[in-house]
Amino acid sequence: MDHAPQEAGCLGLPHQVLQDGDPQRHLHHRRQRRRPRLPPQPRRKTDPVPEKPRQIITADQFARIYEALPDATAQLLVETDIESGLRWGEQTELRVNDLEFATGILTVSRSVVELVPKFHPEGRRFLVKDYPKGKRWRRFKISPQIVAKLKAHVEANNLAPDDLFFSRHRAEPPNLELLDVLGHDLGDT
């Protein structure tokens, strides 16, 4: 039987390895690459951080806060927030055409986020996102009383369908005494 020299492809090795002259080096590198990886380590559970109980205000405390608000628009803003449970970024971007006045259905489709100006595309402080948290629009019904107040607000201020419900141009600094109405820190309420 004649044994003719085999070509590189017949040995199952790349042609360049035989040209290197050291196929053992190639096999050594192949062995290193095929070492089994360690299984992923399970995540360690951390101790839960106890949540601080929320301060619930009384009706009297709410009345004092409500009366201390600067105007009817601020009062409507607070009432809408309590009624809807919107996040501040969603409520500040709430527009007239987001509310179907006939049905009371409110659509949340945008949100405002606060950014460090160096991370904003235009170097500003706030950015409007065309989607709320969770990246999905939400629709829900609000009470007829709030719908009526919002409709009256739209008519009194001649708001167009694409106008913000609660836009303000502050002429004077905010009343910081409002923070002291309760006499103690409310935390995240």
Side-chain angles (χ1 to χ4, degrees):
M1 218 184 214
D2 273 343
H3 291 294
Q6 294 181 334
E7 294 184 22
C10 297
L11 294 175
L13 298 174
H15 183 70
Q16 71 224 28
V17 173
L18 291 179
Q19 288 178 347
D20 277 0
D22 188 7
Q24 293 299 319
R25 188 182 69 155
H26 173 72
L27 291 176
H28 173 70
H29 288 298
R30 277 182 82 180
R31 272 186 250 122
Q32 281 184 342
R33 279 185 264 154
R34 290 188 180 183
R35 286 186 182 162
R37 294 185 179 185
L38 295 174
Q41 296 295 321
R43 290 186 178 188
R44 295 182 188 181
K45 291 186 178 182
T46 59
D47 291 334
V49 176
E51 189 173 312
K52 185 177 174 183
R54 295 188 183 267
Q55 175 74 32
I56 299 174
I57 63 173
T58 66
D60 182 52
Q61 290 170 326
F62 175 76
R64 289 174 38 207
I65 292 172
Y66 190 78
E67 290 167 8
L69 293 171
D71 57 24
T73 301
Q75 291 173 340
L76 182 59
L77 175 81
V78 169
E79 288 181 60
T80 305
D81 184 40
I82 291 170
E83 169 77 21
S84 66
L86 291 172
R87 298 170 179 95
W88 76 266
E90 296 168 344
Q91 188 163 356
T92 55
E93 188 54 29
L94 196 60
R95 297 180 184 270
V96 174
N97 59 6
D98 292 333
L99 177 61
E100 296 174 16
F101 291 101
T103 61
I105 300 292
L106 184 66
T107 303
V108 180
S109 60
R110 288 171 307 284
S111 182
V112 174
V113 292
E114 184 176 11
L115 298 174
V116 174
K118 71 178 183 178
F119 295 118
H120 190 286
E122 298 170 4
R124 296 183 180 171
R125 185 173 166 198
F126 295 101
L127 176 71
V128 176
K129 299 187 315 180
D130 289 327
Y131 53 88
K133 185 174 180 178
K135 297 182 173 90
R136 296 179 68 185
W137 289 15
R138 294 193 324 271
R139 293 177 55 113
F140 55 90
K141 189 172 180 95
I142 58 176
S143 73
Q145 295 87 354
I146 295 295
V147 172
K149 287 184 177 185
L150 288 169
K151 187 173 184 176
H153 174 72
V154 168
E155 291 168 356
N157 293 289
N158 296 321
L159 298 179
D162 203 36
D163 286 346
L164 294 170
F165 268 112
F166 304 110
S167 66
R168 294 187 84 100
H169 299 288
R170 193 181 328 215
E172 54 190 62
N175 181 3
L176 298 179
E177 293 174 7
L178 179 61
L179 300 176
D180 293 329
V181 167
L182 299 176
H184 63 279
D185 179 29
L186 287 177
D188 292 331
T189 57

